[in-house]
Amino acid sequence: MAIDPERAAIRLGYGLSPRMPPAESVFLLESVAQATHPDGWTTTAATAAHLDFAEIRQARDEGALSPEDYRAHVQELEGQRLDALRNRIARAAGAPAGFGERLVQFWADHFTAVAQNPTQHLMAAAFVDEAIRPHLNGRFGDMLFAAATHPMMLIYLNQNASVGPNSQFARRRPEKHVGLNENLGREILELHTLGVGADYKQSDVRELAELLTGLTYNPKDDRRFRPQVAEPGAETVLGVPYGDGLPEIARAMGNLAMHPATARHLSRKLATHFAADDPPEALVADLAAVWLDSGGDLSAINTALVAHPGLAATFGQKTRQPFDFIAASLRALGMGAGEILALERPQVRQHLLVPMQRMGQPFGKARGPDGWPEHAADWITPQLLSARIGWALSTPQRLIEPFPDPRAFLSTALGATVSETLARAVPRAENTREGVAIVLASAEFNRR
Amino acid sequence: MPTRRALLKTAALAACSAAAHPLLSTMTFASAPGENRLVVIVLRGAMDGLDVVQPYGDPALRALRLALSAGPEGGALVLNDFFALHPALDGLMPLWQAGELAFAHAVATPYRDKRSHFDGQDLLEAGTGNDLPIDQQKGGWLNRLLQAMPGATAETAYSVGTEEMLILSGSAGALSWAPEAALTLSPQARLLLAEVYHDDPLFRDAARAAEEIGASLTGEMGKGPKGDAARLAAFAADRLNGETRIASFSLSGWDSHARQAQVLKRPLGDLATAILTLRDGLGANWARTTVLAMTEFGRTARENGSGGTDHGTGGALLMAGGAVRGGRVYGDWPGLGEGQLYQDRDLLPARDVRAYAGWAMRGLFGTKTGLIERAIFPGLDLGPDPRILA
């Protein structure tokens, strides 16, 4: 049996809202199309900010810019990072059906690329707009190509430092010891496509890394591929020979995207994220079958996921990650996209950015290329749960006016899924602030 | 044969299942591993070792530093006839005189040349070498020490504060807590939350543990010292007086590219506060405690044009505690003169900072040197024992 709209909103979106009823499944799928629209961050703007900041740093070092002015520039860049978080939360909490934005979170995490300085945060936002959003309903192979060749990924996984050992560039600089960096090639196979358990060899990693040479990001140069850096000659990845150049890299990404191991790996990952830490095998198998039949068509896979009976059968087995918890809380409290977008930067920092860090999910700063953990036990530790409870006690009263009656809020936030235990407890809170906090801090609200 | 990468992966996977165990089992302390205590403070931002422990006996220092690091003439406190301590650490001089404070100079991790804070800190906390890309290194060296400690429980090690501490991450259970995580719940809300969590073991156990940690804090802590450094250290001392034997937290603010004389006052004050708070809080247990304060790398030997210093290589390690053989600066001095600097810009690392940490754990916990060189700091050559413990 397919999942009912209320549970679907909790499982596949950002939960329930007092502003609108939970969406039917057709609207869940429409939300994916809405999420494909960009948020306005671009590689061009991030590159300009990078060059600009380099000049500002130089001016500071030369004493031409006062430390105060320098700090103001850094603060403005940090402010734009706050804007990126605010926009993401606004779109998540405000969407009529949040499935599309949940997919943005999922795929941005799948292709984790962590910014390491203030201007890279703008590039990380551009990465989501340019590599993830446009392909939510498209072919996985296209998303893979867009993500793997995006400047943010080239920087993060050291592709910029990778040089074909026999390339023109390397042969002209024998003294420099430039050479291959396998990082991106390895993570494409291990994390982005086949999965670490799949049947591939070190030679496949190396050949793929050689195929990827030439991909480059230089803020002062628009070219994304430099043939003189590329390793000449054919490369063979998983038995398929490839020639030189970007179209051949795209062909390799297309083939990897449709590989049966990729279908299995990503079907399991989707099922683990949306259904259960230990997902039903039937859900994994059904998604993998659709993946192979459709050639990795994500719209077909989204449709299959939304309709799958495995979702209803595993209701409540996942824990909302901190981003999702905050978005779902604001949504349940009746905040729409407009109100969230109207938050001032200090409010975004105090109520969204810092709490996410305390809850264990600093925005855009996953520890490694494998992204955030999926298991409930990774998120519900004494310290991290305390941060959720603390947020539930302190933030809503600072943002919400008029403040809801906890008894009404209980049914707004959880609908028919509310348990008797919680329904008995909430009316006994000694004030409305704590009543609402108990709903938000409850296991039921933190699960989906 | 499995590669080290594969082993690290396995450890990372095991971390998930280890985390699934209820974190607190306050009954199972029968075999707590000894009485010695280790505190590791990560100094984030690259502390300028040449300014904190100033080698005023090296004639080349004055040519490199115009205003900074002026030695005893600039108010630095004489440690011996070669080194002087930054004046902002004057609160620690009694420890130096009591033989409870020491330094190792010209130390570094194996990290070289790129001088990125993030990568440098990751490598410092991972405790590994350069044979593997930094972002593929999983787990921290304190966690691997825990795995090698017989009788260790989750309570044995604590990471303190909201900063993620890679140094304690890994498959062995360890607790983490931030003093600011302590909840101010009304008694009624506490009761109601216990009720609504009752049927969900994951939430029930986490909330109960949070409450136990919060409630077990000694009376003075809640209203006690202000400031992060004091709160972190007070909490760590409180835990170390109980079943905990290893604690780690971080202090930031060391990145002194400009106006270093002003910029370093706050982090140095924090560091002194943290160490003195630990000493006061630990009481009699201070005698069995070793504190290691380490940073990702040092800073340039030359002062830059903004009265600061830039990212460098060799730096200094601070050691404190009643267990330390203090009153000395350990290590061979590589010199600051012509041809003695690393890449003509940085203090040349004379010894791997991990060797000091390795010998500390050898002395404190009896960890076998083979295990330290193979598993905890893979590939490290511990070298001769510098005998840093009393």
Side-chain angles (χ1 to χ4, degrees), chain A residues 2-16 21-29 31 96-100 102 274 305-308 311-312 315-316 320 331 414 417 448:
Chain A
I3 195 164
D4 64 84
E6 218 166 53
R7 284 164 190 252
I10 294 171
R11 295 231 81 181
L12 297 168
Y14 286 95
L16 307 179
E24 299 293 331
S25 61
V26 51
F27 295 110
L28 283 174
L29 291 169
S31 75
F99 182 48
R102 285 280 309 281
F274 284 96
L305 174 64
V306 165
H308 203 281
L311 282 179
F315 183 75
R320 280 177 167 148
R331 179 177 173 84
L414 290 162
T417 72
R448 60 171 167 80

mmCIF file of all heavy atoms in Angstrom, chain A residues 2-16 21-29 31 96-100 102 274 305-308 311-312 315-316 320 331 414 417 448:
data_model
loop_
_atom_site.group_PDB
_atom_site.id
_atom_site.type_symbol
_atom_site.label_atom_id
_atom_site.label_comp_id
_atom_site.label_asym_id
_atom_site.label_seq_id
_atom_site.Cartn_x
_atom_site.Cartn_y
_atom_site.Cartn_z
ATOM 1 N N ALA A 2 0.515 2.210 -0.822
ATOM 2 C CA ALA A 2 1.296 3.453 -0.853
ATOM 3 C C ALA A 2 1.038 4.240 0.425
ATOM 4 O O ALA A 2 0.042 4.038 1.115
ATOM 5 C CB ALA A 2 0.922 4.282 -2.074
ATOM 6 N N ILE A 3 1.927 5.134 0.699
ATOM 7 C CA ILE A 3 1.895 5.873 1.962
ATOM 8 C C ILE A 3 0.843 6.989 1.887
ATOM 9 O O ILE A 3 0.606 7.559 0.832
ATOM 10 C CB ILE A 3 3.314 6.428 2.228
ATOM 11 C CG1 ILE A 3 3.460 6.893 3.659
ATOM 12 C CG2 ILE A 3 3.690 7.507 1.243
ATOM 13 C CD1 ILE A 3 4.928 7.062 4.055
ATOM 14 N N ASP A 4 0.176 7.288 3.033
ATOM 15 C CA ASP A 4 -0.843 8.347 3.016
ATOM 16 C C ASP A 4 -0.167 9.717 2.965
ATOM 17 O O ASP A 4 1.009 9.852 3.317
ATOM 18 C CB ASP A 4 -1.737 8.231 4.247
ATOM 19 C CG ASP A 4 -0.970 8.450 5.523
ATOM 20 O OD1 ASP A 4 -0.782 9.617 5.914
ATOM 21 O OD2 ASP A 4 -0.522 7.440 6.122
ATOM 22 N N PRO A 5 -0.885 10.756 2.545
ATOM 23 C CA PRO A 5 -0.266 12.067 2.319
ATOM 24 C C PRO A 5 0.444 12.639 3.557
ATOM 25 O O PRO A 5 1.519 13.232 3.425
ATOM 26 C CB PRO A 5 -1.436 12.961 1.906
ATOM 27 C CG PRO A 5 -2.429 12.020 1.316
ATOM 28 C CD PRO A 5 -2.291 10.732 2.081
ATOM 29 N N GLU A 6 -0.136 12.453 4.735
ATOM 30 C CA GLU A 6 0.476 13.006 5.934
ATOM 31 C C GLU A 6 1.849 12.369 6.195
ATOM 32 O O GLU A 6 2.848 13.046 6.440
ATOM 33 C CB GLU A 6 -0.438 12.735 7.132
ATOM 34 C CG GLU A 6 -0.484 13.871 8.112
ATOM 35 C CD GLU A 6 -1.652 13.717 9.091
ATOM 36 O OE1 GLU A 6 -1.752 12.627 9.708
ATOM 37 O OE2 GLU A 6 -2.432 14.672 9.220
ATOM 38 N N ARG A 7 1.864 11.052 6.158
ATOM 39 C CA ARG A 7 3.135 10.365 6.380
ATOM 40 C C ARG A 7 4.118 10.636 5.237
ATOM 41 O O ARG A 7 5.325 10.715 5.464
ATOM 42 C CB ARG A 7 2.901 8.858 6.524
ATOM 43 C CG ARG A 7 2.335 8.492 7.881
ATOM 44 C CD ARG A 7 1.732 7.091 7.899
ATOM 45 N NE ARG A 7 1.007 6.924 9.152
ATOM 46 C CZ ARG A 7 1.429 6.142 10.153
ATOM 47 N NH1 ARG A 7 2.523 5.442 10.026
ATOM 48 N NH2 ARG A 7 0.731 6.058 11.266
ATOM 49 N N ALA A 8 3.595 10.765 4.037
ATOM 50 C CA ALA A 8 4.474 11.067 2.899
ATOM 51 C C ALA A 8 5.154 12.415 3.106
ATOM 52 O O ALA A 8 6.349 12.574 2.828
ATOM 53 C CB ALA A 8 3.680 11.061 1.593
ATOM 54 N N ALA A 9 4.381 13.392 3.617
ATOM 55 C CA ALA A 9 4.968 14.715 3.843
ATOM 56 C C ALA A 9 6.077 14.628 4.888
ATOM 57 O O ALA A 9 7.081 15.338 4.804
ATOM 58 C CB ALA A 9 3.889 15.698 4.301
ATOM 59 N N ILE A 10 5.887 13.783 5.889
ATOM 60 C CA ILE A 10 6.893 13.641 6.949
ATOM 61 C C ILE A 10 8.104 12.857 6.447
ATOM 62 O O ILE A 10 9.245 13.215 6.701
ATOM 63 C CB ILE A 10 6.261 12.959 8.184
ATOM 64 C CG1 ILE A 10 5.207 13.889 8.791
ATOM 65 C CG2 ILE A 10 7.314 12.590 9.215
ATOM 66 C CD1 ILE A 10 4.356 13.257 9.873
ATOM 67 N N ARG A 11 7.842 11.796 5.680
ATOM 68 C CA ARG A 11 8.939 10.943 5.211
ATOM 69 C C ARG A 11 9.727 11.562 4.062
ATOM 70 O O ARG A 11 10.944 11.433 3.986
ATOM 71 C CB ARG A 11 8.381 9.611 4.693
ATOM 72 C CG ARG A 11 7.730 8.760 5.715
ATOM 73 C CD ARG A 11 8.278 7.353 5.669
ATOM 74 N NE ARG A 11 9.538 7.256 6.369
ATOM 75 C CZ ARG A 11 10.245 6.142 6.458
ATOM 76 N NH1 ARG A 11 9.831 5.048 5.837
ATOM 77 N NH2 ARG A 11 11.374 6.107 7.123
ATOM 78 N N LEU A 12 8.998 12.156 3.122
ATOM 79 C CA LEU A 12 9.637 12.575 1.867
ATOM 80 C C LEU A 12 9.826 14.072 1.771
ATOM 81 O O LEU A 12 10.582 14.541 0.921
ATOM 82 C CB LEU A 12 8.791 12.103 0.669
ATOM 83 C CG LEU A 12 8.646 10.594 0.515
ATOM 84 C CD1 LEU A 12 7.568 10.264 -0.510
ATOM 85 C CD2 LEU A 12 9.968 9.968 0.107
ATOM 86 N N GLY A 13 9.132 14.827 2.627
ATOM 87 C CA GLY A 13 9.271 16.277 2.573
ATOM 88 C C GLY A 13 9.791 16.802 3.894
ATOM 89 O O GLY A 13 10.555 16.122 4.581
ATOM 90 N N TYR A 14 9.384 18.024 4.237
ATOM 91 C CA TYR A 14 9.798 18.615 5.502
ATOM 92 C C TYR A 14 8.643 18.655 6.496
ATOM 93 O O TYR A 14 8.571 19.535 7.342
ATOM 94 C CB TYR A 14 10.410 19.992 5.258
ATOM 95 C CG TYR A 14 11.789 19.865 4.654
ATOM 96 C CD1 TYR A 14 11.983 19.918 3.284
ATOM 97 C CD2 TYR A 14 12.895 19.618 5.471
ATOM 98 C CE1 TYR A 14 13.250 19.748 2.735
ATOM 99 C CE2 TYR A 14 14.162 19.443 4.933
ATOM 100 C CZ TYR A 14 14.331 19.511 3.570
ATOM 101 O OH TYR A 14 15.585 19.335 3.037
ATOM 102 N N GLY A 15 7.725 17.693 6.374
ATOM 103 C CA GLY A 15 6.698 17.545 7.389
ATOM 104 C C GLY A 15 5.477 18.407 7.144
ATOM 105 O O GLY A 15 5.255 18.910 6.045
ATOM 106 N N LEU A 16 4.708 18.578 8.199
ATOM 107 C CA LEU A 16 3.397 19.217 8.100
ATOM 108 C C LEU A 16 3.501 20.710 8.378
ATOM 109 O O LEU A 16 4.431 21.168 9.032
ATOM 110 C CB LEU A 16 2.441 18.562 9.100
ATOM 111 C CG LEU A 16 2.357 17.029 8.991
ATOM 112 C CD1 LEU A 16 1.391 16.470 10.039
ATOM 113 C CD2 LEU A 16 1.926 16.604 7.594
ATOM 114 N N PRO A 21 -2.524 21.809 3.553
ATOM 115 C CA PRO A 21 -2.648 20.379 3.841
ATOM 116 C C PRO A 21 -1.487 19.621 3.201
ATOM 117 O O PRO A 21 -0.848 20.136 2.282
ATOM 118 C CB PRO A 21 -3.983 20.002 3.178
ATOM 119 C CG PRO A 21 -4.143 20.980 2.070
ATOM 120 C CD PRO A 21 -3.481 22.249 2.525
ATOM 121 N N PRO A 22 -1.190 18.433 3.691
ATOM 122 C CA PRO A 22 -0.118 17.643 3.069
ATOM 123 C C PRO A 22 -0.463 17.317 1.617
ATOM 124 O O PRO A 22 -1.620 17.116 1.267
ATOM 125 C CB PRO A 22 -0.054 16.385 3.925
ATOM 126 C CG PRO A 22 -1.340 16.332 4.673
ATOM 127 C CD PRO A 22 -1.825 17.734 4.813
ATOM 128 N N ALA A 23 0.545 17.284 0.782
ATOM 129 C CA ALA A 23 0.336 17.153 -0.658
ATOM 130 C C ALA A 23 0.080 15.708 -1.071
ATOM 131 O O ALA A 23 0.614 14.769 -0.480
ATOM 132 C CB ALA A 23 1.554 17.691 -1.389
ATOM 133 N N GLU A 24 -0.713 15.538 -2.108
ATOM 134 C CA GLU A 24 -0.858 14.225 -2.743
ATOM 135 C C GLU A 24 0.439 13.908 -3.486
ATOM 136 O O GLU A 24 1.223 14.804 -3.796
ATOM 137 C CB GLU A 24 -2.024 14.254 -3.737
ATOM 138 C CG GLU A 24 -3.369 14.570 -3.106
ATOM 139 C CD GLU A 24 -3.860 13.476 -2.164
ATOM 140 O OE1 GLU A 24 -3.505 12.295 -2.369
ATOM 141 O OE2 GLU A 24 -4.584 13.806 -1.199
ATOM 142 N N SER A 25 0.629 12.625 -3.808
ATOM 143 C CA SER A 25 1.934 12.226 -4.333
ATOM 144 C C SER A 25 2.289 12.922 -5.646
ATOM 145 O O SER A 25 3.456 13.177 -5.924
ATOM 146 C CB SER A 25 2.006 10.705 -4.481
ATOM 147 O OG SER A 25 1.028 10.267 -5.373
ATOM 148 N N VAL A 26 1.261 13.264 -6.449
ATOM 149 C CA VAL A 26 1.563 13.933 -7.716
ATOM 150 C C VAL A 26 2.242 15.278 -7.453
ATOM 151 O O VAL A 26 3.147 15.692 -8.175
ATOM 152 C CB VAL A 26 0.289 14.093 -8.587
ATOM 153 C CG1 VAL A 26 -0.838 14.722 -7.788
ATOM 154 C CG2 VAL A 26 0.572 14.917 -9.836
ATOM 155 N N PHE A 27 1.837 15.944 -6.347
ATOM 156 C CA PHE A 27 2.461 17.235 -6.036
ATOM 157 C C PHE A 27 3.869 17.050 -5.472
ATOM 158 O O PHE A 27 4.727 17.900 -5.628
ATOM 159 C CB PHE A 27 1.580 18.027 -5.062
ATOM 160 C CG PHE A 27 0.266 18.417 -5.671
ATOM 161 C CD1 PHE A 27 -0.920 17.834 -5.253
ATOM 162 C CD2 PHE A 27 0.218 19.349 -6.703
ATOM 163 C CE1 PHE A 27 -2.130 18.173 -5.825
ATOM 164 C CE2 PHE A 27 -1.004 19.699 -7.279
ATOM 165 C CZ PHE A 27 -2.178 19.106 -6.847
ATOM 166 N N LEU A 28 4.068 15.914 -4.789
ATOM 167 C CA LEU A 28 5.428 15.607 -4.338
ATOM 168 C C LEU A 28 6.366 15.601 -5.534
ATOM 169 O O LEU A 28 7.464 16.146 -5.501
ATOM 170 C CB LEU A 28 5.463 14.243 -3.650
ATOM 171 C CG LEU A 28 4.926 14.164 -2.234
ATOM 172 C CD1 LEU A 28 4.895 12.712 -1.770
ATOM 173 C CD2 LEU A 28 5.791 14.985 -1.292
ATOM 174 N N LEU A 29 5.921 14.959 -6.613
ATOM 175 C CA LEU A 29 6.777 14.884 -7.799
ATOM 176 C C LEU A 29 6.916 16.234 -8.476
ATOM 177 O O LEU A 29 7.985 16.571 -8.992
ATOM 178 C CB LEU A 29 6.233 13.825 -8.764
ATOM 179 C CG LEU A 29 6.377 12.397 -8.224
ATOM 180 C CD1 LEU A 29 5.599 11.407 -9.064
ATOM 181 C CD2 LEU A 29 7.851 11.998 -8.158
ATOM 182 N N SER A 31 7.120 18.930 -6.949
ATOM 183 C CA SER A 31 8.076 19.721 -6.154
ATOM 184 C C SER A 31 9.505 19.506 -6.634
ATOM 185 O O SER A 31 10.364 20.348 -6.403
ATOM 186 C CB SER A 31 7.953 19.375 -4.664
ATOM 187 O OG SER A 31 8.554 18.117 -4.385
ATOM 188 N N PRO A 96 5.504 23.958 -0.967
ATOM 189 C CA PRO A 96 4.239 23.254 -0.714
ATOM 190 C C PRO A 96 4.482 21.771 -0.420
ATOM 191 O O PRO A 96 3.877 21.213 0.497
ATOM 192 C CB PRO A 96 3.459 23.445 -2.020
ATOM 193 C CG PRO A 96 4.032 24.701 -2.613
ATOM 194 C CD PRO A 96 5.482 24.733 -2.216
ATOM 195 N N ALA A 97 5.352 21.138 -1.194
ATOM 196 C CA ALA A 97 5.740 19.758 -0.891
ATOM 197 C C ALA A 97 7.261 19.729 -1.001
ATOM 198 O O ALA A 97 7.825 20.094 -2.015
ATOM 199 C CB ALA A 97 5.112 18.792 -1.887
ATOM 200 N N GLY A 98 7.933 19.313 0.046
ATOM 201 C CA GLY A 98 9.380 19.521 0.116
ATOM 202 C C GLY A 98 10.242 18.417 -0.462
ATOM 203 O O GLY A 98 11.457 18.417 -0.264
ATOM 204 N N PHE A 99 9.631 17.485 -1.213
ATOM 205 C CA PHE A 99 10.420 16.348 -1.701
ATOM 206 C C PHE A 99 11.598 16.811 -2.561
ATOM 207 O O PHE A 99 12.714 16.297 -2.436
ATOM 208 C CB PHE A 99 9.499 15.397 -2.482
ATOM 209 C CG PHE A 99 10.176 14.158 -3.006
ATOM 210 C CD1 PHE A 99 10.990 13.386 -2.186
ATOM 211 C CD2 PHE A 99 9.978 13.751 -4.323
ATOM 212 C CE1 PHE A 99 11.612 12.238 -2.671
ATOM 213 C CE2 PHE A 99 10.594 12.601 -4.822
ATOM 214 C CZ PHE A 99 11.411 11.842 -3.992
ATOM 215 N N GLY A 100 11.364 17.801 -3.421
ATOM 216 C CA GLY A 100 12.434 18.292 -4.291
ATOM 217 C C GLY A 100 13.613 18.813 -3.484
ATOM 218 O O GLY A 100 14.773 18.526 -3.788
ATOM 219 N N ARG A 102 14.339 18.003 -0.420
ATOM 220 C CA ARG A 102 14.994 16.867 0.238
ATOM 221 C C ARG A 102 15.981 16.197 -0.712
ATOM 222 O O ARG A 102 17.076 15.777 -0.318
ATOM 223 C CB ARG A 102 13.934 15.852 0.712
ATOM 224 C CG ARG A 102 13.158 16.287 1.960
ATOM 225 C CD ARG A 102 13.944 16.046 3.254
ATOM 226 N NE ARG A 102 14.447 14.680 3.344
ATOM 227 C CZ ARG A 102 13.705 13.632 3.695
ATOM 228 N NH1 ARG A 102 12.442 13.807 4.046
ATOM 229 N NH2 ARG A 102 14.227 12.432 3.732
ATOM 230 N N PHE A 274 15.873 7.534 2.677
ATOM 231 C CA PHE A 274 14.450 7.873 2.741
ATOM 232 C C PHE A 274 13.610 6.871 3.533
ATOM 233 O O PHE A 274 12.553 7.224 4.024
ATOM 234 C CB PHE A 274 13.867 8.027 1.327
ATOM 235 C CG PHE A 274 14.259 9.331 0.679
ATOM 236 C CD1 PHE A 274 15.330 9.414 -0.189
ATOM 237 C CD2 PHE A 274 13.568 10.499 0.975
ATOM 238 C CE1 PHE A 274 15.698 10.618 -0.764
ATOM 239 C CE2 PHE A 274 13.931 11.715 0.407
ATOM 240 C CZ PHE A 274 14.996 11.776 -0.471
ATOM 241 N N LEU A 305 10.120 5.692 -6.086
ATOM 242 C CA LEU A 305 10.336 5.838 -4.645
ATOM 243 C C LEU A 305 9.067 6.333 -3.950
ATOM 244 O O LEU A 305 8.638 5.775 -2.931
ATOM 245 C CB LEU A 305 11.503 6.817 -4.397
ATOM 246 C CG LEU A 305 11.785 7.190 -2.940
ATOM 247 C CD1 LEU A 305 12.220 5.959 -2.138
ATOM 248 C CD2 LEU A 305 12.874 8.262 -2.861
ATOM 249 N N VAL A 306 8.459 7.364 -4.519
ATOM 250 C CA VAL A 306 7.277 7.970 -3.904
ATOM 251 C C VAL A 306 6.137 6.961 -3.779
ATOM 252 O O VAL A 306 5.371 6.992 -2.817
ATOM 253 C CB VAL A 306 6.850 9.204 -4.737
ATOM 254 C CG1 VAL A 306 5.450 9.653 -4.391
ATOM 255 C CG2 VAL A 306 7.846 10.333 -4.527
ATOM 256 N N ALA A 307 6.034 6.052 -4.746
ATOM 257 C CA ALA A 307 4.906 5.122 -4.762
ATOM 258 C C ALA A 307 5.196 3.825 -4.014
ATOM 259 O O ALA A 307 4.320 2.963 -3.909
ATOM 260 C CB ALA A 307 4.544 4.801 -6.221
ATOM 261 N N HIS A 308 6.380 3.662 -3.472
ATOM 262 C CA HIS A 308 6.758 2.334 -2.979
ATOM 263 C C HIS A 308 6.164 2.006 -1.608
ATOM 264 O O HIS A 308 6.222 2.829 -0.694
ATOM 265 C CB HIS A 308 8.279 2.211 -2.910
ATOM 266 C CG HIS A 308 8.741 0.786 -2.951
ATOM 267 N ND1 HIS A 308 8.704 -0.032 -1.855
ATOM 268 C CD2 HIS A 308 9.198 0.036 -3.983
ATOM 269 C CE1 HIS A 308 9.150 -1.234 -2.201
ATOM 270 N NE2 HIS A 308 9.457 -1.220 -3.495
ATOM 271 N N LEU A 311 7.940 2.451 1.987
ATOM 272 C CA LEU A 311 7.993 3.693 2.745
ATOM 273 C C LEU A 311 7.043 3.662 3.931
ATOM 274 O O LEU A 311 7.392 4.080 5.038
ATOM 275 C CB LEU A 311 7.625 4.884 1.856
ATOM 276 C CG LEU A 311 8.677 5.404 0.904
ATOM 277 C CD1 LEU A 311 8.102 6.565 0.111
ATOM 278 C CD2 LEU A 311 9.924 5.850 1.659
ATOM 279 N N ALA A 312 5.823 3.170 3.697
ATOM 280 C CA ALA A 312 4.839 3.111 4.783
ATOM 281 C C ALA A 312 5.282 2.093 5.823
ATOM 282 O O ALA A 312 5.131 2.297 7.029
ATOM 283 C CB ALA A 312 3.464 2.755 4.223
ATOM 284 N N PHE A 315 7.881 3.496 8.457
ATOM 285 C CA PHE A 315 7.639 4.856 8.973
ATOM 286 C C PHE A 315 8.277 5.043 10.355
ATOM 287 O O PHE A 315 8.170 4.193 11.228
ATOM 288 C CB PHE A 315 6.134 5.128 9.058
ATOM 289 C CG PHE A 315 5.829 6.528 9.513
ATOM 290 C CD1 PHE A 315 5.999 7.594 8.650
ATOM 291 C CD2 PHE A 315 5.405 6.778 10.815
ATOM 292 C CE1 PHE A 315 5.737 8.888 9.065
ATOM 293 C CE2 PHE A 315 5.143 8.074 11.240
ATOM 294 C CZ PHE A 315 5.316 9.134 10.365
ATOM 295 N N GLY A 316 8.966 6.154 10.538
ATOM 296 C CA GLY A 316 9.535 6.487 11.845
ATOM 297 C C GLY A 316 10.906 5.894 12.099
ATOM 298 O O GLY A 316 11.477 6.094 13.164
ATOM 299 N N ARG A 320 15.553 12.729 11.588
ATOM 300 C CA ARG A 320 15.793 13.947 10.818
ATOM 301 C C ARG A 320 17.184 14.468 11.135
ATOM 302 O O ARG A 320 17.545 14.612 12.300
ATOM 303 C CB ARG A 320 14.761 15.007 11.188
ATOM 304 C CG ARG A 320 13.433 14.794 10.505
ATOM 305 C CD ARG A 320 12.395 15.831 10.937
ATOM 306 N NE ARG A 320 11.240 15.775 10.047
ATOM 307 C CZ ARG A 320 9.995 16.041 10.426
ATOM 308 N NH1 ARG A 320 9.740 16.390 11.672
ATOM 309 N NH2 ARG A 320 9.009 15.966 9.553
ATOM 310 N N ARG A 331 8.703 25.050 9.647
ATOM 311 C CA ARG A 331 7.515 24.792 8.828
ATOM 312 C C ARG A 331 6.306 24.505 9.721
ATOM 313 O O ARG A 331 5.227 25.077 9.539
ATOM 314 C CB ARG A 331 7.804 23.605 7.914
ATOM 315 C CG ARG A 331 6.662 23.187 6.995
ATOM 316 C CD ARG A 331 7.139 22.048 6.089
ATOM 317 N NE ARG A 331 6.039 21.489 5.298
ATOM 318 C CZ ARG A 331 5.620 22.016 4.154
ATOM 319 N NH1 ARG A 331 6.182 23.100 3.688
ATOM 320 N NH2 ARG A 331 4.614 21.459 3.499
ATOM 321 N N LEU A 414 2.295 16.950 13.951
ATOM 322 C CA LEU A 414 2.368 15.497 13.793
ATOM 323 C C LEU A 414 1.090 14.868 13.243
ATOM 324 O O LEU A 414 1.083 13.679 12.918
ATOM 325 C CB LEU A 414 2.736 14.849 15.136
ATOM 326 C CG LEU A 414 4.184 15.125 15.573
ATOM 327 C CD1 LEU A 414 4.377 14.854 17.049
ATOM 328 C CD2 LEU A 414 5.173 14.308 14.755
ATOM 329 N N THR A 417 -0.339 11.114 13.255
ATOM 330 C CA THR A 417 0.739 10.193 13.649
ATOM 331 C C THR A 417 1.105 10.336 15.125
ATOM 332 O O THR A 417 1.956 9.611 15.628
ATOM 333 C CB THR A 417 2.025 10.434 12.814
ATOM 334 O OG1 THR A 417 2.635 11.664 13.237
ATOM 335 C CG2 THR A 417 1.721 10.495 11.334
ATOM 336 N N ARG A 448 11.280 10.282 11.228
ATOM 337 C CA ARG A 448 10.423 10.447 10.060
ATOM 338 C C ARG A 448 10.231 9.112 9.367
ATOM 339 O O ARG A 448 10.979 8.184 9.580
ATOM 340 C CB ARG A 448 11.013 11.489 9.111
ATOM 341 C CG ARG A 448 12.395 11.157 8.575
ATOM 342 C CD ARG A 448 12.787 12.132 7.485
ATOM 343 N NE ARG A 448 14.203 12.058 7.145
ATOM 344 C CZ ARG A 448 14.738 11.146 6.352
ATOM 345 N NH1 ARG A 448 13.983 10.212 5.822
ATOM 346 N NH2 ARG A 448 16.036 11.133 6.102
#
